[in-house]
Amino acid sequence: MHILIIGAGGMIGRKLAATLGRSGFLGGDTITRMTLVDVTLPPVPADISVPAEALAADISESDAAAALAAGRADVIFHLAAIVSGEAERNFDLGYRVNLDGTRALLEAIRREGSRQAYVPRFVFSSSIAVYGAPFPDPIPDDYVLAPLTSYGVQKAISELLLADYSRRGFVDGIGIRLPTIVIRPGAPNAAASGFFSGILREPLAGQRAVLPVEETVKHWLASPRSAVSFLIHAATLDTASLGVRRTLTMPGVAATVADQIDALRRAAGPEAADLIDRRRDEVIEEIVAGWPKSFTPQRAAQLGFTAESSVDELIEVYLAEDAPGASR
């Protein structure tokens, strides 16, 4: 089995490559090689048992997409994206990468299959940003997609493309709407949601963090460990059970910022919570105000997707796997 990971330089992509490369299996199949792709050369994880090649490519360029499709990977994980805050600040870049890149990749696969039969499993990383206010709390599986950010629009259109290319038999697609990932390791990124990780990650390391919104803000969260688990489960799922609705909302933890701070106190004491500086940011407040708060992801649960059930668990995963000095 040949695995292609696009967006392999990102945090989730690196973790996915390491997990698959160390196990050597996806479902019941042996992974014989992996191709790791990002716009800049992604790292090859250490201590993996699977041969892996790293490539730098921009999938929004048709020649690059065609070259990747010609590799005829059995499973393609499409994780590459310009994140929410950056997509809002840079309209052209967001559409070029998040929408044009996805369309170029799907079209390259279709053209490759027209020469000789080729229908790969295509796992697409979408987002809960496809929903926009006003909405119920929680949001059911069948609720309308009405995004209020450019990033959300780009992901929603890509979900429709995934469904249509799957309906036409060009790919065997499945999309997963990821919760906001908490706690993200390393340095903050440009995502508007970055503070959800920052108000936990930095105080746990004895550093100050900025909270740009009110503590009443509520959001849908899951760990990096769960994100990788979602992707692997999606790659091995019998997609016949999906019908024409090819994208699923993933399970997660519905928590307010106050819930996060309470969990931080339990994990690291009141002195950790004292390291959070309240500093309102109206731009971030406006973006976050249009985001979902919680879901009832019944379809995903019925199909075997699982996640954490509390912020305490999210912190435990971070301390075990991603905090400085963690064993993994």
Side-chain angles (χ1 to χ4, degrees):
M1 174 178 280
H2 176 198
I3 304 293
L4 170 61
I5 303 175
I6 300 170
M11 183 268 292
I12 299 299
R14 294 195 306 271
K15 285 181 170 288
L16 176 64
T19 299
L20 293 176
R22 289 168 187 157
S23 75
F25 293 92
L26 180 59
D29 294 315
T30 300
I31 302 171
T32 54
R33 64 185 177 114
M34 296 195 301
T35 302
L36 311 178
V37 178
D38 214 311
V39 69
T40 59
L41 195 68
V44 175
D47 304 323
I48 61 174
S49 60
V50 176
E53 178 185 17
L55 300 173
D58 183 346
I59 60 168
S60 66
E61 299 175 357
S62 58
D63 289 347
L68 293 176
R72 301 178 76 87
D74 300 286
V75 178
I76 299 172
F77 293 96
H78 177 23
L79 314 179
I82 298 299
V83 293
S84 54
E86 181 64 16
E88 202 66 16
R89 285 187 291 271
N90 193 330
F91 185 86
D92 291 332
L93 180 63
Y95 270 89
R96 181 172 66 80
V97 174
N98 294 342
L99 179 55
D100 298 343
T102 300
R103 172 71 195 283
L105 183 59
L106 289 168
E107 186 61 14
I109 293 168
R110 182 180 76 87
R111 293 183 183 276
E112 179 66 24
S114 70
R115 288 187 279 273
Q116 183 180 354
Y118 174 53
V119 182
R121 173 62 59 91
F122 190 99
V123 181
F124 173 63
S125 174
S126 190
S127 169
I128 57 174
V130 298
Y131 297 100
F135 36 55
D137 181 22
I139 297 173
D141 281 328
D142 58 357
Y143 196 68
V144 65
L145 305 189
L148 294 177
T149 62
S150 295
Y151 176 74
V153 170
Q154 292 147 16
K155 288 294 189 179
I157 297 171
S158 296
E159 287 187 12
L160 291 173
L161 289 173
L162 180 74
D164 197 37
Y165 276 69
S166 296
R167 181 182 65 85
R168 297 296 298 269
F170 304 137
V171 297
D172 181 14
I174 177 170
I176 59 172
R177 297 186 191 111
L178 290 175
T180 290
I181 301 303
V182 172
I183 302 171
R184 298 183 69 93
N189 64 12
S193 59
F195 71 87
F196 286 111
S197 285
I199 61 172
L200 298 176
R201 179 185 58 232
E202 272 67 78
L204 286 169
Q207 301 171 2
R208 304 204 72 82
V210 173
L211 173 61
V213 302
E214 297 292 335
E215 290 189 18
T216 54
V217 168
K218 181 180 174 184
H219 199 40
W220 193 240
L221 314 171
S223 73
R225 178 198 289 174
S226 287
V228 171
S229 174
F230 297 154
L231 291 164
I232 292 174
H233 188 57
T236 58
L237 193 68
D238 179 3
T239 53
S241 60
L242 298 177
V244 296
R245 297 165 60 198
R246 286 277 173 157
T247 302
L248 301 162
T249 299
M250 292 294 99
V253 177
T256 64
V257 168
D259 293 332
Q260 289 188 261
I261 295 173
D262 287 344
L264 176 64
R265 290 192 183 97
R266 289 192 289 272
E271 61 274 16
D274 291 341
L275 293 171
I276 299 174
D277 299 320
R278 277 73 173 171
R279 194 180 307 155
R280 289 185 59 191
D281 184 316
E282 292 182 359
V283 173
I284 292 179
E285 282 187 327
E286 183 178 358
I287 292 173
V288 172
W291 284 355
K293 297 176 175 60
S294 67
F295 294 86
T296 49
Q298 294 179 342
R299 291 183 70 211
Q302 290 167 356
L303 292 169
F305 291 92
T306 61
E308 293 78 19
S309 59
S310 69
V311 180
D312 301 88
E313 287 185 64
L314 298 177
I315 293 175
E316 289 171 8
V317 170
Y318 174 73
L319 294 175
E321 300 184 5
D322 293 314
S327 59
R328 291 179 58 185

